[in-house]
Amino acid sequence: MDSRGGRPGQVAARWGRAGARAPHAGAGREVAGAHYAAADLIERKNMRRTLLPLAALALVLVAGGCTIEINDGTTPDPGGSSTPSESPVTDEPFGDGSSENDNVSPTAAPPAKAAALTCDQVAESELGSAKVRYNDYPDPIPLTEGRWAGEDGVVVALQPPCAIGDLTGDGAADAVRAVMLDGGGTGKFWGIVLWRNVKGVPAYVGTVDLGDRTPVEKVTISAGQAHVVYLTRPDDASMVELVIERTATYRLIDGKLEEIGYVDKPHS
């Protein structure tokens, strides 16, 4: 009998050949260590395959302006728990800003509306501007109490018919008033003047000539249009035959007051 508890032939067959030594504990540890080393190498290779694409993706996202948050924006402390990030926390808005307890700003007040022009106000303004001349005068004509007298004897005087309302579409009330130019002879040339409201100050826009001895009876403004009632005559009538009452309608078109229609009726 062999000292290992079997016959010599059986022991030799068990370990491959007669006389071979049986493996000892140190050899088993070497085999296990080699196995673990091979497994660790495979795991490291797999991690590289996973981490490299993730790193490349992170670089692309950062270059594109994206923000990457880890752990939902929280930072783990040494004990393993998470602490909130330092990003500010905003409460849900409530209120309308009228109370000190509301956390929203009050609604901004709308811009102040320009005060409406007045008929007395335009009587102290000017006829003509740097861009638009009145009756070919090179400079604006300053009015005093609605009148101006030139060195050549010409007198320009505003007439009572006047209307206030929005003609420019900006919500501010403009002014239209009748005017007459007296050249010193028999001619009395009538017209209407439009002043635009610029922050409550009249700014000359233009004049519409109505003709010689065609007195204006009435001026009104509605729906962005000016309605002017004045007396006139047929083309073949004498200057004194004011037998037509004309109601003409005007609208501001391309910066000019243009007639868009009229209605005539007999006048006696």
Side-chain angles (χ1 to χ4, degrees):
M1 294 290 292
D2 186 78
S3 61
R4 296 180 179 86
R7 292 192 298 270
Q10 292 175 336
V11 173
R14 182 181 302 171
W15 300 111
R17 62 184 178 85
R21 297 178 61 187
H24 52 78
R29 285 193 296 270
E30 291 175 359
V31 173
H35 174 74
Y36 293 145
D40 183 64
L41 179 60
I42 293 173
E43 184 177 357
R44 289 176 181 272
K45 289 182 178 180
N46 290 336
M47 289 180 65
R48 290 194 188 97
R49 294 192 187 101
T50 303
L51 292 177
L52 286 176
L54 289 177
L57 177 60
L59 289 175
V60 171
L61 292 176
V62 172
C66 299
T67 301
I68 302 175
E69 290 189 0
I70 301 176
N71 296 331
D72 297 329
T74 60
T75 304
D77 59 20
S81 61
S82 297
T83 58
S85 65
E86 296 181 357
S87 301
V89 178
T90 304
D91 294 334
E92 291 293 330
F94 60 87
D96 58 4
S98 60
S99 170
E100 62 180 8
N101 296 323
D102 297 345
N103 72 339
V104 296
S105 300
T107 304
K113 187 176 180 180
L117 299 183
T118 67
C119 296
D120 291 338
Q121 189 178 14
V122 299
E124 304 297 330
S125 64
E126 293 181 336
L127 295 179
S129 68
K131 294 182 178 181
V132 182
R133 292 184 176 185
Y134 169 74
N135 199 39
D136 290 332
Y137 284 99
D139 299 314
I141 294 174
L143 297 173
T144 302
E145 296 182 351
R147 291 177 60 87
W148 175 85
E151 296 179 354
D152 55 359
V154 173
V155 175
V156 177
L158 298 183
Q159 302 301 306
C162 178
I164 305 297
D166 182 16
L167 287 176
T168 58
D170 59 1
D174 310 303
V176 174
R177 188 164 177 177
V179 64
M180 185 186 70
L181 183 148
D182 185 350
T186 58
K188 304 290 187 290
F189 300 93
W190 287 73
I192 55 171
V193 183
L194 168 62
W195 289 270
R196 180 180 180 179
N197 187 333
V198 179
K199 297 181 179 180
V201 177
Y204 179 81
V205 175
T207 301
V208 176
D209 293 325
L210 300 178
D212 184 11
R213 284 166 276 184
T214 53
V216 175
E217 300 284 297
K218 184 179 181 181
V219 179
T220 59
I221 295 176
S222 63
Q225 298 176 347
H227 308 279
V228 182
V229 179
Y230 65 98
L231 303 181
T232 186
R233 64 192 67 82
D235 293 339
D236 57 354
S238 65
M239 298 300 293
V240 297
E241 295 183 65
L242 297 176
V243 295
I244 297 174
E245 180 183 282
R246 175 168 294 172
T247 301
T249 301
Y250 296 87
R251 179 183 296 166
L252 191 65
I253 301 175
D254 295 331
K256 294 182 179 181
L257 205 57
E258 302 281 359
E259 183 184 273
I260 60 174
Y262 64 86
V263 176
D264 288 347
K265 69 178 184 179
H267 174 74
S268 57

